[in-house]
Amino acid sequence: MIPRALIRNTTLAAVALALCVLAAWAPLRAQTNAARAPAQPAQQAIVERGRYLAQAGDCIACHTVPGAKIFSGNRPMPTPFGTLYSPNITPDRATGIGSWTADDFYNMMHTGRSPKGYLLYPAMPYASYTKVTRADSDAIFAYLRSVPPVRQASREHDLRFPYNNRALLIGWRTLYFQQGEYRPDRSKSVEWNRGAYLVQGLGHCAMCHTPINALGGSSQEQAFQGGLIPMQNWYAPSLTSNREAGLGNWALQDIVDLLQKGVSNRGTVYGPMAEVTFNSLQFMSDDDVRAMAVYLKSLPADQGPASDPAEAPLRADIHQAYEEGRRIYGARCATCHGAEGRGKLPHYPPLARNQSIGMSSAVNPIRMVLNGGYPPGTRRNPMPYGMPPFAQELNDDQIAAVVTFIRTAWGNRGAPVTAREVNQLRSATVE
């Protein structure tokens, strides 16, 4: 028989032990509940700011396969050197950036190096993102940490030898990468500097609108002078030349509308630029888009070499193509764009004296006639008017003829195009 004193002492000890366990567990429960509680207003504001900045940087375009979970990566990016695959940047600890710190993320943006120290391929636009401030980098990181984690390993890149050797990036970086945050130009306005920061940094506009050489690099001296986008078969026009898409003689509102709505009185976005407007620019504030327009309009004009058929002898074959193109245009295009190419604003852009029609490269007008297309549906232009494709209705000679007519009629000063140029673009990927 157990003595009552022993039972009483044992009971008291058990009660004391239980109280100790409860006391120890209470703070732990409080911490768990706090972790599950909604973010505090200040932190939530940072997350929302990061969301906005991630849209300004168009992060979704590379890090999300259409239809897949946001930022789960593995979107293929064809390059002249092979195919790169974007990484998973969700907060999954095993396959994403869940184990990264804010320092790791900023160093990656600023230096183009992963937390493990390996060099990133410049398809990640760190040559532009290096200009992003620490505060903005931290906000983007806070937002990325807030999205649902996705357990999905990133695919290995499929690059040809020797481009699969990351050590070669040391040379590329020496030639084409200049590290450092954006430094305001004190001789310019606050608005101009804000626009420069967005265009040069998160917007990474120069990545497409600057000529790219055989090494996949571009020089600062040729910034914004336009060039063919590798593997996409679209031409990003020069933003410095008034013979292409130079914006010096554009009204500021026309630039704002083109960026934010996708259509303006001076033109319409198609191809890769339509994706930028759809994913990014339409969500930016009026003040930020206006600041970008102010900066872009200020870019110095570069009147580089441009074709000018008015200065060349009119060959018989070109005259014949012109007349055939005039006939095709009257039958198939004039209903929307007008007999004199004046268009019907804002839905049908003018073709007469349209700088984008007479650019040094005829890739874009050829592709538009071949493939047609729609500008993006945006918050300010939710139901855009599109253009039908003519690839199945017109042969190469006919499309060459109508594009030649459009590029040389009504004061346009583009060069004629050939059936061979059209044929080369028939098989171009349409996205």
Side-chain angles (χ1 to χ4, degrees), residues 77 79 81 83-85 112-113 118-127 157-160 162-169 172-173 207:
M77 294 180 286
T79 77
F81 317 108
T83 302
L84 296 166
Y85 294 92
R113 292 179 180 270
Y118 60 77
L119 301 177
L120 302 182
Y121 286 99
M124 163 63 180
Y126 57 83
H157 300 317
D158 183 17
L159 297 174
R160 299 190 307 276
Y163 308 110
N164 56 356
N165 182 357
R166 288 182 185 267
L168 295 178
L169 291 172
W172 187 94
R173 291 164 64 95
M207 197 167 181

PDB file of all heavy atoms in Angstrom, residues 77 79 81 83-85 112-113 118-127 157-160 162-169 172-173 207:
ATOM      1  N   MET A  77      14.387  30.135 -72.677  1.00  0.00           N
ATOM      2  CA  MET A  77      14.791  31.383 -73.314  1.00  0.00           C
ATOM      3  C   MET A  77      15.833  31.049 -74.382  1.00  0.00           C
ATOM      4  O   MET A  77      17.027  30.920 -74.080  1.00  0.00           O
ATOM      5  CB  MET A  77      15.363  32.350 -72.276  1.00  0.00           C
ATOM      6  CG  MET A  77      14.338  32.833 -71.271  1.00  0.00           C
ATOM      7  SD  MET A  77      15.016  33.978 -70.045  1.00  0.00           S
ATOM      8  CE  MET A  77      15.939  32.835 -69.030  1.00  0.00           C
ATOM      9  N   THR A  79      18.583  31.371 -77.119  1.00  0.00           N
ATOM     10  CA  THR A  79      19.621  32.354 -77.426  1.00  0.00           C
ATOM     11  C   THR A  79      20.471  31.800 -78.566  1.00  0.00           C
ATOM     12  O   THR A  79      20.381  30.606 -78.890  1.00  0.00           O
ATOM     13  CB  THR A  79      20.531  32.618 -76.210  1.00  0.00           C
ATOM     14  OG1 THR A  79      21.446  31.519 -76.065  1.00  0.00           O
ATOM     15  CG2 THR A  79      19.721  32.793 -74.927  1.00  0.00           C
ATOM     16  N   PHE A  81      23.297  30.931 -78.374  1.00  0.00           N
ATOM     17  CA  PHE A  81      24.282  30.041 -77.773  1.00  0.00           C
ATOM     18  C   PHE A  81      23.662  28.772 -77.196  1.00  0.00           C
ATOM     19  O   PHE A  81      24.350  27.923 -76.652  1.00  0.00           O
ATOM     20  CB  PHE A  81      25.029  30.783 -76.654  1.00  0.00           C
ATOM     21  CG  PHE A  81      25.409  32.183 -77.034  1.00  0.00           C
ATOM     22  CD1 PHE A  81      24.757  33.278 -76.476  1.00  0.00           C
ATOM     23  CD2 PHE A  81      26.388  32.420 -77.983  1.00  0.00           C
ATOM     24  CE1 PHE A  81      25.091  34.572 -76.844  1.00  0.00           C
ATOM     25  CE2 PHE A  81      26.730  33.708 -78.365  1.00  0.00           C
ATOM     26  CZ  PHE A  81      26.072  34.790 -77.793  1.00  0.00           C
ATOM     27  N   THR A  83      19.824  27.150 -75.178  1.00  0.00           N
ATOM     28  CA  THR A  83      18.613  27.512 -74.445  1.00  0.00           C
ATOM     29  C   THR A  83      18.900  27.639 -72.956  1.00  0.00           C
ATOM     30  O   THR A  83      19.491  26.738 -72.344  1.00  0.00           O
ATOM     31  CB  THR A  83      17.501  26.460 -74.651  1.00  0.00           C
ATOM     32  OG1 THR A  83      17.226  26.359 -76.053  1.00  0.00           O
ATOM     33  CG2 THR A  83      16.234  26.864 -73.918  1.00  0.00           C
ATOM     34  N   LEU A  84      18.495  28.768 -72.401  1.00  0.00           N
ATOM     35  CA  LEU A  84      18.573  28.987 -70.964  1.00  0.00           C
ATOM     36  C   LEU A  84      17.190  28.759 -70.358  1.00  0.00           C
ATOM     37  O   LEU A  84      16.175  28.957 -71.033  1.00  0.00           O
ATOM     38  CB  LEU A  84      19.031  30.414 -70.661  1.00  0.00           C
ATOM     39  CG  LEU A  84      20.450  30.795 -71.114  1.00  0.00           C
ATOM     40  CD1 LEU A  84      20.632  32.303 -71.070  1.00  0.00           C
ATOM     41  CD2 LEU A  84      21.493  30.115 -70.242  1.00  0.00           C
ATOM     42  N   TYR A  85      17.160  28.342 -69.099  1.00  0.00           N
ATOM     43  CA  TYR A  85      15.894  28.148 -68.396  1.00  0.00           C
ATOM     44  C   TYR A  85      15.901  29.003 -67.131  1.00  0.00           C
ATOM     45  O   TYR A  85      16.858  28.981 -66.360  1.00  0.00           O
ATOM     46  CB  TYR A  85      15.702  26.674 -68.043  1.00  0.00           C
ATOM     47  CG  TYR A  85      15.538  25.801 -69.260  1.00  0.00           C
ATOM     48  CD1 TYR A  85      16.640  25.198 -69.854  1.00  0.00           C
ATOM     49  CD2 TYR A  85      14.288  25.602 -69.838  1.00  0.00           C
ATOM     50  CE1 TYR A  85      16.493  24.415 -70.997  1.00  0.00           C
ATOM     51  CE2 TYR A  85      14.133  24.822 -70.973  1.00  0.00           C
ATOM     52  CZ  TYR A  85      15.249  24.230 -71.548  1.00  0.00           C
ATOM     53  OH  TYR A  85      15.098  23.465 -72.677  1.00  0.00           O
ATOM     54  N   GLY A 112      25.350  40.227 -60.084  1.00  0.00           N
ATOM     55  CA  GLY A 112      25.204  39.150 -61.048  1.00  0.00           C
ATOM     56  C   GLY A 112      25.825  37.843 -60.588  1.00  0.00           C
ATOM     57  O   GLY A 112      26.219  37.015 -61.417  1.00  0.00           O
ATOM     58  N   ARG A 113      25.878  37.649 -59.285  1.00  0.00           N
ATOM     59  CA  ARG A 113      26.405  36.403 -58.713  1.00  0.00           C
ATOM     60  C   ARG A 113      25.360  35.771 -57.814  1.00  0.00           C
ATOM     61  O   ARG A 113      24.632  36.468 -57.108  1.00  0.00           O
ATOM     62  CB  ARG A 113      27.667  36.666 -57.893  1.00  0.00           C
ATOM     63  CG  ARG A 113      28.880  37.095 -58.713  1.00  0.00           C
ATOM     64  CD  ARG A 113      30.075  37.362 -57.804  1.00  0.00           C
ATOM     65  NE  ARG A 113      31.251  37.767 -58.551  1.00  0.00           N
ATOM     66  CZ  ARG A 113      32.171  36.924 -59.031  1.00  0.00           C
ATOM     67  NH1 ARG A 113      32.027  35.625 -58.783  1.00  0.00           N
ATOM     68  NH2 ARG A 113      33.191  37.362 -59.705  1.00  0.00           N
ATOM     69  N   TYR A 118      28.486  31.592 -57.992  1.00  0.00           N
ATOM     70  CA  TYR A 118      28.701  31.390 -59.417  1.00  0.00           C
ATOM     71  C   TYR A 118      28.109  32.553 -60.208  1.00  0.00           C
ATOM     72  O   TYR A 118      27.174  33.222 -59.775  1.00  0.00           O
ATOM     73  CB  TYR A 118      28.162  30.041 -59.891  1.00  0.00           C
ATOM     74  CG  TYR A 118      26.693  29.792 -59.697  1.00  0.00           C
ATOM     75  CD1 TYR A 118      25.746  30.375 -60.538  1.00  0.00           C
ATOM     76  CD2 TYR A 118      26.231  28.934 -58.699  1.00  0.00           C
ATOM     77  CE1 TYR A 118      24.396  30.143 -60.381  1.00  0.00           C
ATOM     78  CE2 TYR A 118      24.882  28.693 -58.531  1.00  0.00           C
ATOM     79  CZ  TYR A 118      23.973  29.296 -59.373  1.00  0.00           C
ATOM     80  OH  TYR A 118      22.626  29.056 -59.212  1.00  0.00           O
ATOM     81  N   LEU A 119      28.672  32.773 -61.386  1.00  0.00           N
ATOM     82  CA  LEU A 119      28.291  33.903 -62.234  1.00  0.00           C
ATOM     83  C   LEU A 119      27.003  33.587 -62.983  1.00  0.00           C
ATOM     84  O   LEU A 119      26.829  32.489 -63.509  1.00  0.00           O
ATOM     85  CB  LEU A 119      29.404  34.220 -63.236  1.00  0.00           C
ATOM     86  CG  LEU A 119      30.772  34.570 -62.639  1.00  0.00           C
ATOM     87  CD1 LEU A 119      31.802  34.782 -63.747  1.00  0.00           C
ATOM     88  CD2 LEU A 119      30.672  35.822 -61.779  1.00  0.00           C
ATOM     89  N   LEU A 120      26.100  34.567 -63.033  1.00  0.00           N
ATOM     90  CA  LEU A 120      24.842  34.397 -63.750  1.00  0.00           C
ATOM     91  C   LEU A 120      25.026  34.748 -65.225  1.00  0.00           C
ATOM     92  O   LEU A 120      25.775  35.673 -65.573  1.00  0.00           O
ATOM     93  CB  LEU A 120      23.763  35.290 -63.154  1.00  0.00           C
ATOM     94  CG  LEU A 120      23.435  35.093 -61.672  1.00  0.00           C
ATOM     95  CD1 LEU A 120      22.298  36.028 -61.279  1.00  0.00           C
ATOM     96  CD2 LEU A 120      23.069  33.648 -61.373  1.00  0.00           C
ATOM     97  N   TYR A 121      24.310  34.036 -66.080  1.00  0.00           N
ATOM     98  CA  TYR A 121      24.309  34.396 -67.494  1.00  0.00           C
ATOM     99  C   TYR A 121      23.520  35.693 -67.671  1.00  0.00           C
ATOM    100  O   TYR A 121      22.517  35.924 -66.990  1.00  0.00           O
ATOM    101  CB  TYR A 121      23.687  33.272 -68.323  1.00  0.00           C
ATOM    102  CG  TYR A 121      24.611  32.074 -68.474  1.00  0.00           C
ATOM    103  CD1 TYR A 121      24.461  30.955 -67.658  1.00  0.00           C
ATOM    104  CD2 TYR A 121      25.635  32.087 -69.411  1.00  0.00           C
ATOM    105  CE1 TYR A 121      25.320  29.865 -67.778  1.00  0.00           C
ATOM    106  CE2 TYR A 121      26.495  31.005 -69.542  1.00  0.00           C
ATOM    107  CZ  TYR A 121      26.325  29.904 -68.723  1.00  0.00           C
ATOM    108  OH  TYR A 121      27.186  28.835 -68.841  1.00  0.00           O
ATOM    109  N   PRO A 122      23.969  36.545 -68.596  1.00  0.00           N
ATOM    110  CA  PRO A 122      23.359  37.890 -68.710  1.00  0.00           C
ATOM    111  C   PRO A 122      21.965  37.904 -69.310  1.00  0.00           C
ATOM    112  O   PRO A 122      21.431  38.992 -69.548  1.00  0.00           O
ATOM    113  CB  PRO A 122      24.363  38.653 -69.577  1.00  0.00           C
ATOM    114  CG  PRO A 122      25.095  37.605 -70.346  1.00  0.00           C
ATOM    115  CD  PRO A 122      25.175  36.407 -69.433  1.00  0.00           C
ATOM    116  N   ALA A 123      21.349  36.744 -69.552  1.00  0.00           N
ATOM    117  CA  ALA A 123      19.912  36.761 -69.846  1.00  0.00           C
ATOM    118  C   ALA A 123      19.164  37.317 -68.645  1.00  0.00           C
ATOM    119  O   ALA A 123      18.096  37.918 -68.791  1.00  0.00           O
ATOM    120  CB  ALA A 123      19.423  35.344 -70.161  1.00  0.00           C
ATOM    121  N   MET A 124      19.711  37.096 -67.454  1.00  0.00           N
ATOM    122  CA  MET A 124      19.252  37.813 -66.269  1.00  0.00           C
ATOM    123  C   MET A 124      19.822  39.221 -66.382  1.00  0.00           C
ATOM    124  O   MET A 124      21.049  39.394 -66.383  1.00  0.00           O
ATOM    125  CB  MET A 124      19.768  37.116 -65.006  1.00  0.00           C
ATOM    126  CG  MET A 124      19.725  37.954 -63.746  1.00  0.00           C
ATOM    127  SD  MET A 124      18.050  38.418 -63.281  1.00  0.00           S
ATOM    128  CE  MET A 124      18.374  39.373 -61.805  1.00  0.00           C
ATOM    129  N   PRO A 125      18.996  40.242 -66.517  1.00  0.00           N
ATOM    130  CA  PRO A 125      19.503  41.583 -66.853  1.00  0.00           C
ATOM    131  C   PRO A 125      20.166  42.309 -65.685  1.00  0.00           C
ATOM    132  O   PRO A 125      19.827  43.438 -65.356  1.00  0.00           O
ATOM    133  CB  PRO A 125      18.252  42.310 -67.337  1.00  0.00           C
ATOM    134  CG  PRO A 125      17.130  41.644 -66.642  1.00  0.00           C
ATOM    135  CD  PRO A 125      17.521  40.196 -66.480  1.00  0.00           C
ATOM    136  N   TYR A 126      21.144  41.656 -65.063  1.00  0.00           N
ATOM    137  CA  TYR A 126      21.796  42.291 -63.919  1.00  0.00           C
ATOM    138  C   TYR A 126      22.635  43.496 -64.331  1.00  0.00           C
ATOM    139  O   TYR A 126      22.947  44.350 -63.488  1.00  0.00           O
ATOM    140  CB  TYR A 126      22.655  41.280 -63.147  1.00  0.00           C
ATOM    141  CG  TYR A 126      23.717  40.569 -63.951  1.00  0.00           C
ATOM    142  CD1 TYR A 126      24.959  41.155 -64.195  1.00  0.00           C
ATOM    143  CD2 TYR A 126      23.500  39.297 -64.451  1.00  0.00           C
ATOM    144  CE1 TYR A 126      25.931  40.501 -64.925  1.00  0.00           C
ATOM    145  CE2 TYR A 126      24.470  38.625 -65.171  1.00  0.00           C
ATOM    146  CZ  TYR A 126      25.685  39.228 -65.410  1.00  0.00           C
ATOM    147  OH  TYR A 126      26.650  38.576 -66.137  1.00  0.00           O
ATOM    148  N   ALA A 127      22.970  43.594 -65.630  1.00  0.00           N
ATOM    149  CA  ALA A 127      23.675  44.790 -66.089  1.00  0.00           C
ATOM    150  C   ALA A 127      22.795  46.024 -65.934  1.00  0.00           C
ATOM    151  O   ALA A 127      23.293  47.152 -65.822  1.00  0.00           O
ATOM    152  CB  ALA A 127      24.110  44.631 -67.545  1.00  0.00           C
ATOM    153  N   HIS A 157      20.653  24.498 -67.840  1.00  0.00           N
ATOM    154  CA  HIS A 157      20.733  25.171 -69.130  1.00  0.00           C
ATOM    155  C   HIS A 157      21.238  24.196 -70.197  1.00  0.00           C
ATOM    156  O   HIS A 157      21.983  23.257 -69.910  1.00  0.00           O
ATOM    157  CB  HIS A 157      21.679  26.373 -69.054  1.00  0.00           C
ATOM    158  CG  HIS A 157      21.253  27.409 -68.065  1.00  0.00           C
ATOM    159  ND1 HIS A 157      19.954  27.827 -67.933  1.00  0.00           N
ATOM    160  CD2 HIS A 157      21.982  28.125 -67.148  1.00  0.00           C
ATOM    161  CE1 HIS A 157      19.888  28.752 -66.983  1.00  0.00           C
ATOM    162  NE2 HIS A 157      21.088  28.934 -66.491  1.00  0.00           N
ATOM    163  N   ASP A 158      20.829  24.435 -71.427  1.00  0.00           N
ATOM    164  CA  ASP A 158      21.260  23.600 -72.551  1.00  0.00           C
ATOM    165  C   ASP A 158      22.058  24.477 -73.516  1.00  0.00           C
ATOM    166  O   ASP A 158      21.537  24.947 -74.529  1.00  0.00           O
ATOM    167  CB  ASP A 158      20.033  22.985 -73.239  1.00  0.00           C
ATOM    168  CG  ASP A 158      20.408  22.040 -74.369  1.00  0.00           C
ATOM    169  OD1 ASP A 158      21.581  21.614 -74.419  1.00  0.00           O
ATOM    170  OD2 ASP A 158      19.534  21.736 -75.203  1.00  0.00           O
ATOM    171  N   LEU A 159      23.306  24.720 -73.170  1.00  0.00           N
ATOM    172  CA  LEU A 159      24.169  25.602 -73.951  1.00  0.00           C
ATOM    173  C   LEU A 159      25.249  24.795 -74.661  1.00  0.00           C
ATOM    174  O   LEU A 159      25.768  23.810 -74.128  1.00  0.00           O
ATOM    175  CB  LEU A 159      24.830  26.644 -73.042  1.00  0.00           C
ATOM    176  CG  LEU A 159      23.880  27.616 -72.330  1.00  0.00           C
ATOM    177  CD1 LEU A 159      24.654  28.494 -71.360  1.00  0.00           C
ATOM    178  CD2 LEU A 159      23.144  28.483 -73.344  1.00  0.00           C
ATOM    179  N   ARG A 160      25.583  25.250 -75.858  1.00  0.00           N
ATOM    180  CA  ARG A 160      26.641  24.582 -76.618  1.00  0.00           C
ATOM    181  C   ARG A 160      28.018  24.915 -76.035  1.00  0.00           C
ATOM    182  O   ARG A 160      28.208  25.966 -75.418  1.00  0.00           O
ATOM    183  CB  ARG A 160      26.596  25.026 -78.082  1.00  0.00           C
ATOM    184  CG  ARG A 160      25.301  24.681 -78.795  1.00  0.00           C
ATOM    185  CD  ARG A 160      25.436  24.925 -80.296  1.00  0.00           C
ATOM    186  NE  ARG A 160      25.907  26.283 -80.580  1.00  0.00           N
ATOM    187  CZ  ARG A 160      25.115  27.333 -80.645  1.00  0.00           C
ATOM    188  NH1 ARG A 160      23.818  27.203 -80.393  1.00  0.00           N
ATOM    189  NH2 ARG A 160      25.606  28.521 -80.938  1.00  0.00           N
ATOM    190  N   PRO A 162      31.633  26.371 -76.360  1.00  0.00           N
ATOM    191  CA  PRO A 162      32.166  26.526 -75.005  1.00  0.00           C
ATOM    192  C   PRO A 162      31.310  27.409 -74.102  1.00  0.00           C
ATOM    193  O   PRO A 162      31.717  27.771 -73.025  1.00  0.00           O
ATOM    194  CB  PRO A 162      33.510  27.189 -75.271  1.00  0.00           C
ATOM    195  CG  PRO A 162      33.216  28.117 -76.429  1.00  0.00           C
ATOM    196  CD  PRO A 162      32.219  27.370 -77.287  1.00  0.00           C
ATOM    197  N   TYR A 163      30.084  27.766 -74.575  1.00  0.00           N
ATOM    198  CA  TYR A 163      29.278  28.735 -73.828  1.00  0.00           C
ATOM    199  C   TYR A 163      28.740  28.160 -72.515  1.00  0.00           C
ATOM    200  O   TYR A 163      28.263  28.911 -71.663  1.00  0.00           O
ATOM    201  CB  TYR A 163      28.122  29.237 -74.698  1.00  0.00           C
ATOM    202  CG  TYR A 163      28.592  29.747 -76.034  1.00  0.00           C
ATOM    203  CD1 TYR A 163      28.304  29.054 -77.209  1.00  0.00           C
ATOM    204  CD2 TYR A 163      29.354  30.909 -76.129  1.00  0.00           C
ATOM    205  CE1 TYR A 163      28.756  29.507 -78.441  1.00  0.00           C
ATOM    206  CE2 TYR A 163      29.804  31.367 -77.356  1.00  0.00           C
ATOM    207  CZ  TYR A 163      29.498  30.661 -78.510  1.00  0.00           C
ATOM    208  OH  TYR A 163      29.941  31.111 -79.728  1.00  0.00           O
ATOM    209  N   ASN A 164      28.831  26.840 -72.360  1.00  0.00           N
ATOM    210  CA  ASN A 164      28.396  26.232 -71.100  1.00  0.00           C
ATOM    211  C   ASN A 164      29.462  26.325 -70.017  1.00  0.00           C
ATOM    212  O   ASN A 164      29.275  25.826 -68.913  1.00  0.00           O
ATOM    213  CB  ASN A 164      28.006  24.767 -71.330  1.00  0.00           C
ATOM    214  CG  ASN A 164      29.129  23.961 -71.962  1.00  0.00           C
ATOM    215  OD1 ASN A 164      30.180  24.493 -72.295  1.00  0.00           O
ATOM    216  ND2 ASN A 164      28.895  22.659 -72.125  1.00  0.00           N
ATOM    217  N   ASN A 165      30.572  26.978 -70.329  1.00  0.00           N
ATOM    218  CA  ASN A 165      31.633  27.199 -69.353  1.00  0.00           C
ATOM    219  C   ASN A 165      31.455  28.586 -68.736  1.00  0.00           C
ATOM    220  O   ASN A 165      31.733  29.595 -69.367  1.00  0.00           O
ATOM    221  CB  ASN A 165      32.999  27.080 -70.032  1.00  0.00           C
ATOM    222  CG  ASN A 165      34.162  27.248 -69.068  1.00  0.00           C
ATOM    223  OD1 ASN A 165      33.966  27.509 -67.882  1.00  0.00           O
ATOM    224  ND2 ASN A 165      35.378  27.124 -69.576  1.00  0.00           N
ATOM    225  N   ARG A 166      30.986  28.610 -67.492  1.00  0.00           N
ATOM    226  CA  ARG A 166      30.698  29.893 -66.848  1.00  0.00           C
ATOM    227  C   ARG A 166      31.932  30.766 -66.674  1.00  0.00           C
ATOM    228  O   ARG A 166      31.820  31.987 -66.525  1.00  0.00           O
ATOM    229  CB  ARG A 166      30.042  29.665 -65.483  1.00  0.00           C
ATOM    230  CG  ARG A 166      28.607  29.177 -65.558  1.00  0.00           C
ATOM    231  CD  ARG A 166      28.013  29.034 -64.180  1.00  0.00           C
ATOM    232  NE  ARG A 166      26.681  28.450 -64.201  1.00  0.00           N
ATOM    233  CZ  ARG A 166      25.555  29.145 -64.249  1.00  0.00           C
ATOM    234  NH1 ARG A 166      25.600  30.460 -64.271  1.00  0.00           N
ATOM    235  NH2 ARG A 166      24.383  28.540 -64.265  1.00  0.00           N
ATOM    236  N   ALA A 167      33.114  30.156 -66.692  1.00  0.00           N
ATOM    237  CA  ALA A 167      34.332  30.948 -66.517  1.00  0.00           C
ATOM    238  C   ALA A 167      34.489  31.987 -67.624  1.00  0.00           C
ATOM    239  O   ALA A 167      35.104  33.041 -67.419  1.00  0.00           O
ATOM    240  CB  ALA A 167      35.550  30.027 -66.471  1.00  0.00           C
ATOM    241  N   LEU A 168      33.899  31.697 -68.797  1.00  0.00           N
ATOM    242  CA  LEU A 168      33.992  32.654 -69.896  1.00  0.00           C
ATOM    243  C   LEU A 168      33.242  33.948 -69.596  1.00  0.00           C
ATOM    244  O   LEU A 168      33.491  34.975 -70.231  1.00  0.00           O
ATOM    245  CB  LEU A 168      33.441  32.030 -71.178  1.00  0.00           C
ATOM    246  CG  LEU A 168      34.215  30.828 -71.744  1.00  0.00           C
ATOM    247  CD1 LEU A 168      33.515  30.304 -72.989  1.00  0.00           C
ATOM    248  CD2 LEU A 168      35.652  31.227 -72.072  1.00  0.00           C
ATOM    249  N   LEU A 169      32.317  33.891 -68.643  1.00  0.00           N
ATOM    250  CA  LEU A 169      31.562  35.092 -68.296  1.00  0.00           C
ATOM    251  C   LEU A 169      32.439  36.168 -67.673  1.00  0.00           C
ATOM    252  O   LEU A 169      32.066  37.340 -67.657  1.00  0.00           O
ATOM    253  CB  LEU A 169      30.422  34.734 -67.340  1.00  0.00           C
ATOM    254  CG  LEU A 169      29.286  33.899 -67.944  1.00  0.00           C
ATOM    255  CD1 LEU A 169      28.318  33.451 -66.860  1.00  0.00           C
ATOM    256  CD2 LEU A 169      28.549  34.689 -69.016  1.00  0.00           C
ATOM    257  N   TRP A 172      33.200  38.388 -70.483  1.00  0.00           N
ATOM    258  CA  TRP A 172      32.016  39.141 -70.885  1.00  0.00           C
ATOM    259  C   TRP A 172      31.760  40.278 -69.909  1.00  0.00           C
ATOM    260  O   TRP A 172      31.470  41.413 -70.309  1.00  0.00           O
ATOM    261  CB  TRP A 172      30.808  38.200 -70.936  1.00  0.00           C
ATOM    262  CG  TRP A 172      29.578  38.841 -71.511  1.00  0.00           C
ATOM    263  CD1 TRP A 172      29.163  38.808 -72.804  1.00  0.00           C
ATOM    264  CD2 TRP A 172      28.614  39.642 -70.804  1.00  0.00           C
ATOM    265  NE1 TRP A 172      28.001  39.529 -72.961  1.00  0.00           N
ATOM    266  CE2 TRP A 172      27.637  40.052 -71.748  1.00  0.00           C
ATOM    267  CE3 TRP A 172      28.487  40.054 -69.479  1.00  0.00           C
ATOM    268  CZ2 TRP A 172      26.554  40.851 -71.399  1.00  0.00           C
ATOM    269  CZ3 TRP A 172      27.405  40.858 -69.125  1.00  0.00           C
ATOM    270  CH2 TRP A 172      26.447  41.244 -70.077  1.00  0.00           C
ATOM    271  N   ARG A 173      31.871  39.992 -68.633  1.00  0.00           N
ATOM    272  CA  ARG A 173      31.606  41.011 -67.621  1.00  0.00           C
ATOM    273  C   ARG A 173      32.622  42.142 -67.699  1.00  0.00           C
ATOM    274  O   ARG A 173      32.282  43.308 -67.481  1.00  0.00           O
ATOM    275  CB  ARG A 173      31.620  40.369 -66.232  1.00  0.00           C
ATOM    276  CG  ARG A 173      30.455  39.424 -65.981  1.00  0.00           C
ATOM    277  CD  ARG A 173      30.730  38.535 -64.790  1.00  0.00           C
ATOM    278  NE  ARG A 173      30.845  39.295 -63.555  1.00  0.00           N
ATOM    279  CZ  ARG A 173      29.853  39.501 -62.693  1.00  0.00           C
ATOM    280  NH1 ARG A 173      28.646  38.977 -62.932  1.00  0.00           N
ATOM    281  NH2 ARG A 173      30.032  40.184 -61.590  1.00  0.00           N
ATOM    282  N   MET A 207      18.167  46.571 -73.080  1.00  0.00           N
ATOM    283  CA  MET A 207      18.483  45.175 -73.392  1.00  0.00           C
ATOM    284  C   MET A 207      17.952  44.780 -74.767  1.00  0.00           C
ATOM    285  O   MET A 207      18.549  43.948 -75.450  1.00  0.00           O
ATOM    286  CB  MET A 207      17.913  44.268 -72.310  1.00  0.00           C
ATOM    287  CG  MET A 207      18.507  42.882 -72.294  1.00  0.00           C
ATOM    288  SD  MET A 207      18.062  42.012 -70.787  1.00  0.00           S
ATOM    289  CE  MET A 207      18.939  40.449 -71.059  1.00  0.00           C
TER     290      MET A 207
END
